[in-house]
């Protein structure tokens, strides 16, 4: 399981609806969103290097890929 945040408002909506529980993989679209989430108390496991939807998708795929032997 994973959750991806593309904005600070998405982070806030998650906290309002779910609270501070997250799956192991939590991906932010960029450093601003990651900082917002961290300041609220969420743990971010991955941050997209490219703050765009395609960049976010690449970060999610990378985060969920099995480790290389």
């Amino acid at each position: 399981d994973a959750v991806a945040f593309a904005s600070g408002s998405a982070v806030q909506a998650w906290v309002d609806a779910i609270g501070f529980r997250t799956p192991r993989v939590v991906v932010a679209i960029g450093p601003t969103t990651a900082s917002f989430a961290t300041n609220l108390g969420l743990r971010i496991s991955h941050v997209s290097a490219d703050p765009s939807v395609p960049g976010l998708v690449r970060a999610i795929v990378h985060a969920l890929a099995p480790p290389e032997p």
Side-chain angles (χ1 to χ4, degrees), residues 1 4 10-12 14 17 20 24 27-28 33-34 36 40-42 44 46 51 54 58 60 63 65:
D1 292 342
V11 173
Q12 187 65 60
W14 175 276
F20 295 97
R24 179 182 57 82
V27 184
T33 301
F36 187 87
L40 282 180
L42 292 180
I44 298 295
H46 297 79
R58 283 190 296 274
I60 295 165

Side-chain angles (χ1 to χ4, degrees), residues 9-62:
S9 60
V11 173
Q12 187 65 60
W14 175 276
V15 170
D16 292 346
I18 307 297
F20 295 97
R21 290 180 33 191
T22 61
R24 179 182 57 82
V25 174
V26 181
V27 184
I29 196 166
T32 302
T33 301
S35 178
F36 187 87
T38 300
N39 287 338
L40 282 180
L42 292 180
R43 180 193 54 81
I44 298 295
S45 62
H46 297 79
V47 179
S48 173
D50 171 20
S52 66
V53 172
L56 181 60
V57 171
R58 283 190 296 274
I60 295 165
V61 169
H62 173 76

